[in-house]
Amino acid sequence: MTFEQAKQIFYQPFMDLLYKAHTIHRAHFSPNTIQTSTLLSIKTGACSENCSYCAQSSHYSTGTRTEKMLDKEVVLSLAKQAKQSGSARFCMGASGRSPSDKELDEVCAIIKEIKKLGLETCVTLGLLSKDQAKKLKDAGLDFYNHNIDTSKEYYTQVISTRTFEDRLETIGNVRDAGLKICVGGILGMGESNDDRIKMLVSLANLETPPESVPINQLVKIPGTPLANVPDVEKFDFVRTIALARILMPTSYVRLSAGRKAMSDELQALCFFAGANSVFYGDRLLTTNNNNPISDDTLFDKLDLQKETFLEMKA
């Protein structure tokens, strides 16, 4: 897929775009099911990276409290709660450029225990070497999350402490280890629609596209350089979801951060356009998420059923 081809798809009449995306979605997924994941910050703050959107960066004064790695038993208790609430995947994030050997050992021990609960597992730990990726695979990890955030061209406007190529190298290391990947980006950081299209083309053109594609709407954190950027235009957001579905027809497309600020109507339009996964629970790392009761009410209105782990494995 070329940028120009994707751009033509993106800018076709809105109703035609949604019809095409929804038709493709129905060919690969049940239109009335949604996958739910729970995300937990297991190590918070004091990150050396300068990602302009992040509350956990040590470069900015955001009021985020630094917290060391959570105890394994605490994480397992929260994983059990997530399963009871209907989540099929338990995702864990640890702040920092890359995990230390000690941190990686702790995460691997936690993964092994969570797998016993019958949950899929995903972690995001920053940059990984080949050996680190293999160690996570051996522990039973299912997914590794490492977003590319935006287009290669716009990337340096957002982050300077690690490169776009650094991210691609980690994604390659994870793939080589036999792990599935969860890779997406953030909308609303001042980028153009062209940047959004290029980001999705980059993902679609990977040797194997991501099995999971999280699309985040920027949560503006006071104290970060992006605290006052203009909001992303809502119909452009929906167009991006639709393009993701068309370019990556078999991937789960997840409405991720920023969903708390979305109306029920906007979320429903995104689901029709091909989004079929959400983060479920009150918190996403350090930011607020939709209340689970509100989500359940919306799912009931839309007749959406939560997809179980066994259904996902089928």
XYZ file of all heavy atoms in Angstrom, residues 88-139:
388
model
N -10.484 -9.718 28.650
C -9.859 -10.910 28.085
C -8.342 -10.804 28.075
O -7.648 -11.811 27.950
C -10.358 -11.143 26.666
N -7.836 -9.586 28.182
C -6.382 -9.370 28.122
C -5.967 -8.438 29.245
O -6.622 -7.423 29.506
C -5.985 -8.777 26.773
C -4.470 -8.646 26.566
C -4.163 -8.022 25.202
N -4.803 -8.780 24.131
C -4.968 -8.318 22.890
N -4.547 -7.114 22.585
N -5.556 -9.057 21.974
N -4.867 -8.764 29.909
C -4.337 -7.930 30.982
C -3.023 -7.332 30.508
O -2.070 -8.057 30.199
C -4.120 -8.755 32.256
C -3.887 -7.922 33.478
C -4.917 -7.190 34.042
C -2.636 -7.867 34.075
C -4.719 -6.422 35.176
C -2.417 -7.107 35.205
C -3.464 -6.373 35.763
N -2.992 -6.008 30.435
C -1.839 -5.285 29.899
C -1.138 -4.536 31.027
O -1.797 -3.928 31.874
C -2.289 -4.289 28.835
S -3.325 -4.999 27.537
N 0.179 -4.568 31.010
C 0.966 -3.930 32.065
C 2.000 -2.997 31.449
O 2.677 -3.359 30.478
C 1.665 -4.993 32.923
C 0.703 -5.889 33.686
S 1.515 -7.365 34.379
C 1.627 -8.398 32.907
N 2.116 -1.807 32.015
C 3.081 -0.836 31.524
C 4.053 -0.434 32.618
O 3.649 -0.199 33.769
N 5.342 -0.376 32.279
C 6.363 0.076 33.219
C 7.133 1.228 32.577
O 7.629 1.101 31.457
C 7.317 -1.056 33.586
N 7.212 2.343 33.255
C 7.880 3.517 32.707
C 9.382 3.287 32.592
O 9.970 2.474 33.316
C 7.615 4.740 33.592
O 8.188 4.542 34.875
N 10.013 4.021 31.672
C 11.456 3.936 31.495
C 11.840 3.683 30.056
O 11.029 3.217 29.253
N 13.080 3.980 29.733
C 13.566 3.789 28.361
C 13.627 2.310 27.987
O 13.265 1.910 26.891
C 14.953 4.422 28.209
C 15.568 4.250 26.819
C 16.919 4.927 26.728
N 17.555 4.665 25.441
C 17.331 5.354 24.326
N 16.457 6.342 24.337
N 17.952 5.057 23.209
N 14.074 1.495 28.944
C 14.228 0.068 28.719
C 14.299 -0.620 30.075
O 14.833 -0.040 31.036
C 15.508 -0.213 27.918
O 15.651 -1.576 27.604
N 13.793 -1.840 30.222
C 13.803 -2.492 31.535
C 15.193 -2.973 31.933
O 15.985 -3.414 31.094
C 12.859 -3.673 31.340
C 12.949 -3.985 29.881
C 13.119 -2.661 29.198
N 15.483 -2.884 33.225
C 16.720 -3.477 33.754
C 16.541 -4.990 33.816
O 15.430 -5.514 33.697
C 17.001 -2.931 35.152
O 16.018 -3.384 36.066
N 17.635 -5.709 34.024
C 17.553 -7.169 34.141
C 16.649 -7.572 35.304
O 15.843 -8.504 35.193
C 18.951 -7.769 34.337
C 19.813 -7.656 33.085
O 19.244 -7.432 31.995
O 21.049 -7.782 33.209
N 16.764 -6.858 36.409
C 15.945 -7.161 37.589
C 14.466 -6.923 37.299
O 13.612 -7.753 37.645
C 16.395 -6.309 38.773
C 15.607 -6.548 40.059
C 16.177 -5.713 41.196
C 15.441 -5.958 42.513
N 14.030 -5.523 42.447
N 14.175 -5.801 36.670
C 12.783 -5.491 36.339
C 12.205 -6.523 35.381
O 11.059 -6.961 35.537
C 12.688 -4.092 35.725
C 12.916 -2.971 36.727
C 13.062 -1.618 36.067
O 13.295 -1.568 34.830
O 12.950 -0.602 36.773
N 13.002 -6.932 34.406
C 12.514 -7.911 33.436
C 12.218 -9.244 34.128
O 11.207 -9.901 33.823
C 13.538 -8.104 32.318
C 13.013 -8.831 31.071
C 11.942 -8.005 30.378
C 14.153 -9.138 30.102
N 13.071 -9.645 35.043
C 12.827 -10.885 35.791
C 11.517 -10.797 36.581
O 10.739 -11.765 36.631
C 13.986 -11.168 36.747
C 15.251 -11.643 36.029
O 15.128 -12.075 34.862
O 16.339 -11.561 36.628
N 11.275 -9.650 37.199
C 10.048 -9.468 37.969
C 8.825 -9.539 37.065
O 7.811 -10.166 37.402
C 10.087 -8.122 38.709
C 11.114 -8.066 39.826
C 11.148 -6.698 40.497
O 10.180 -5.927 40.326
O 12.135 -6.403 41.184
N 8.901 -8.889 35.899
C 7.782 -8.900 34.957
C 7.526 -10.317 34.447
O 6.379 -10.756 34.334
C 8.041 -7.935 33.786
C 6.985 -8.102 32.696
C 8.061 -6.493 34.272
N 8.583 -11.049 34.144
C 8.429 -12.423 33.653
C 7.747 -13.308 34.690
O 6.892 -14.146 34.348
C 9.789 -13.012 33.281
S 10.481 -12.337 31.748
N 8.090 -13.121 35.952
C 7.461 -13.897 37.021
C 5.969 -13.571 37.108
O 5.135 -14.469 37.331
C 8.157 -13.611 38.355
N 5.622 -12.316 36.932
C 4.216 -11.902 36.977
C 3.453 -12.483 35.785
O 2.323 -12.977 35.928
C 4.116 -10.358 36.980
C 4.648 -9.805 38.304
C 2.677 -9.907 36.747
C 4.804 -8.299 38.321
N 4.064 -12.440 34.591
C 3.413 -12.972 33.391
C 3.050 -14.445 33.584
O 1.936 -14.880 33.254
C 4.330 -12.803 32.167
C 4.455 -11.323 31.791
C 3.802 -13.601 30.967
C 5.553 -11.038 30.790
N 3.979 -15.217 34.119
C 3.739 -16.651 34.315
C 2.525 -16.907 35.201
O 1.733 -17.829 34.947
C 4.989 -17.311 34.914
C 6.168 -17.375 33.952
C 7.417 -17.937 34.637
C 8.601 -17.955 33.682
N 9.851 -18.435 34.336
N 2.354 -16.093 36.220
C 1.228 -16.276 37.137
C -0.084 -15.815 36.501
O -1.130 -16.447 36.684
C 1.478 -15.514 38.441
C 2.621 -16.060 39.265
C 2.430 -17.520 39.636
O 1.305 -17.888 40.041
O 3.398 -18.311 39.508
N -0.048 -14.731 35.748
C -1.273 -14.226 35.120
C -1.766 -15.198 34.048
O -2.980 -15.394 33.885
C -1.038 -12.819 34.526
C -0.844 -11.811 35.669
C -2.217 -12.387 33.644
C -0.516 -10.416 35.213
N -0.848 -15.827 33.349
C -1.250 -16.814 32.342
C -2.043 -17.954 32.963
O -2.943 -18.522 32.332
C -0.020 -17.363 31.619
C 0.686 -16.361 30.725
C -0.167 -15.968 29.529
C -0.348 -17.142 28.582
N -1.144 -16.758 27.394
N -1.734 -18.292 34.205
C -2.453 -19.362 34.899
C -3.915 -18.993 35.153
O -4.757 -19.879 35.383
C -1.758 -19.686 36.224
C -0.365 -20.277 36.078
C 0.269 -20.493 37.446
C 1.701 -21.019 37.327
N 2.335 -21.165 38.657
N -4.214 -17.691 35.100
C -5.583 -17.239 35.330
C -6.447 -17.369 34.075
O -7.667 -17.180 34.139
C -5.584 -15.760 35.775
C -4.806 -15.424 37.042
C -4.840 -13.922 37.292
C -5.378 -16.174 38.239
N -5.819 -17.685 32.939
C -6.568 -17.790 31.695
C -6.765 -16.464 30.993
O -7.737 -16.269 30.257
N -5.851 -15.537 31.204
C -5.885 -14.235 30.540
C -4.774 -14.134 29.511
O -3.686 -14.707 29.694
C -5.688 -13.114 31.569
C -6.858 -12.778 32.494
C -6.376 -11.898 33.637
C -7.979 -12.090 31.727
N -5.041 -13.398 28.425
C -3.947 -13.001 27.542
C -3.123 -11.950 28.263
O -3.641 -11.198 29.099
C -4.484 -12.406 26.237
C -4.894 -13.417 25.207
C -5.048 -12.790 23.841
O -5.591 -11.680 23.754
O -4.644 -13.424 22.855
N -1.840 -11.879 27.930
C -0.958 -10.906 28.574
C -0.294 -10.011 27.545
O 0.032 -10.443 26.432
C 0.142 -11.613 29.394
O 0.819 -12.562 28.549
C -0.449 -12.317 30.592
N -0.110 -8.750 27.943
C 0.589 -7.770 27.104
C 1.391 -6.873 28.034
O 0.925 -6.544 29.134
C -0.419 -6.944 26.297
S 0.329 -5.648 25.262
N 2.588 -6.506 27.629
C 3.368 -5.540 28.398
C 3.935 -4.477 27.469
O 4.125 -4.701 26.278
C 4.539 -6.194 29.189
C 4.009 -7.180 30.205
C 5.536 -6.853 28.259
N 4.197 -3.318 28.050
C 4.923 -2.254 27.356
C 6.003 -1.760 28.305
O 5.726 -1.242 29.388
C 3.979 -1.116 26.907
O 4.743 -0.075 26.280
C 3.163 -0.544 28.058
N 7.254 -1.985 27.898
C 8.398 -1.739 28.777
C 9.450 -0.847 28.127
O 10.547 -0.713 28.655
C 9.046 -3.067 29.181
C 8.137 -4.160 29.744
C 8.912 -5.467 29.903
C 7.533 -3.735 31.077
N 9.137 -0.270 26.966
C 10.118 0.537 26.269
C 10.920 -0.274 25.275
O 10.457 -1.292 24.754
N 12.132 0.166 25.006
C 12.990 -0.494 24.024
C 13.444 -1.858 24.527
O 13.761 -2.025 25.705
C 14.217 0.381 23.725
C 13.940 1.782 23.192
C 15.242 2.565 23.025
C 13.187 1.733 21.867
N 13.489 -2.833 23.620
C 13.897 -4.193 23.974
C 14.998 -4.692 23.056
O 14.967 -4.440 21.848
C 12.725 -5.172 23.863
C 11.593 -5.160 24.885
C 10.653 -6.310 24.588
C 12.103 -5.221 26.308
N 15.925 -5.447 23.609
C 16.902 -6.175 22.803
C 16.286 -7.504 22.373
O 15.226 -7.907 22.868
C 18.171 -6.439 23.619
O 17.893 -7.359 24.671
N 16.972 -8.212 21.494
C 16.492 -9.534 21.062
C 16.421 -10.501 22.242
O 15.461 -11.263 22.386
C 17.409 -10.085 19.969
C 17.287 -9.388 18.623
C 18.169 -10.054 17.588
C 18.069 -9.347 16.234
N 16.708 -9.483 15.660
N 17.442 -10.474 23.095
C 17.462 -11.382 24.245
C 16.329 -11.072 25.218
O 15.712 -11.992 25.779
C 18.808 -11.290 24.970
C 19.944 -11.928 24.180
O 19.646 -12.714 23.255
O 21.115 -11.647 24.489
N 16.041 -9.792 25.436
C 14.957 -9.423 26.332
C 13.606 -9.874 25.778
O 12.746 -10.371 26.510
C 14.949 -7.908 26.555
C 16.087 -7.406 27.426
C 16.114 -5.896 27.515
O 15.909 -5.194 26.519
N 16.354 -5.390 28.713
N 13.431 -9.713 24.472
C 12.179 -10.136 23.843
C 11.997 -11.645 23.968
O 10.895 -12.132 24.264
C 12.161 -9.714 22.377
N 13.090 -12.396 23.762
C 13.005 -13.851 23.874
C 12.667 -14.267 25.303
O 11.898 -15.224 25.522
C 14.328 -14.494 23.442
C 14.291 -16.026 23.421
C 15.601 -16.627 22.961
C 15.515 -18.140 22.863
N 15.112 -18.765 24.144
N 13.200 -13.570 26.271
C 12.923 -13.898 27.668
C 11.438 -13.710 27.982
O 10.832 -14.526 28.700
C 13.782 -13.012 28.578
C 13.861 -13.495 30.018
C 14.986 -12.779 30.752
C 15.190 -13.395 32.124
N 16.337 -12.798 32.846
N 10.840 -12.667 27.442
C 9.416 -12.435 27.643
C 8.582 -13.521 26.962
O 7.591 -13.997 27.510
C 9.030 -11.052 27.096
C 9.520 -9.858 27.916
C 9.340 -8.569 27.129
C 8.769 -9.768 29.252
N 9.004 -13.907 25.770
C 8.308 -14.987 25.061
C 8.369 -16.280 25.866
O 7.361 -16.991 26.011
C 8.935 -15.181 23.686
C 8.426 -16.388 22.910
C 6.953 -16.247 22.535
C 6.500 -17.417 21.683
N 5.066 -17.355 21.350
N 9.538 -16.587 26.394
C 9.704 -17.811 27.172
C 8.849 -17.802 28.438
O 8.458 -18.863 28.947
C 11.173 -18.021 27.545
C 12.053 -18.351 26.337
O 11.493 -18.726 25.285
O 13.287 -18.212 26.450
N 8.555 -16.604 28.950
C 7.718 -16.484 30.143
C 6.240 -16.683 29.833
O 5.425 -16.817 30.751
C 7.929 -15.125 30.796
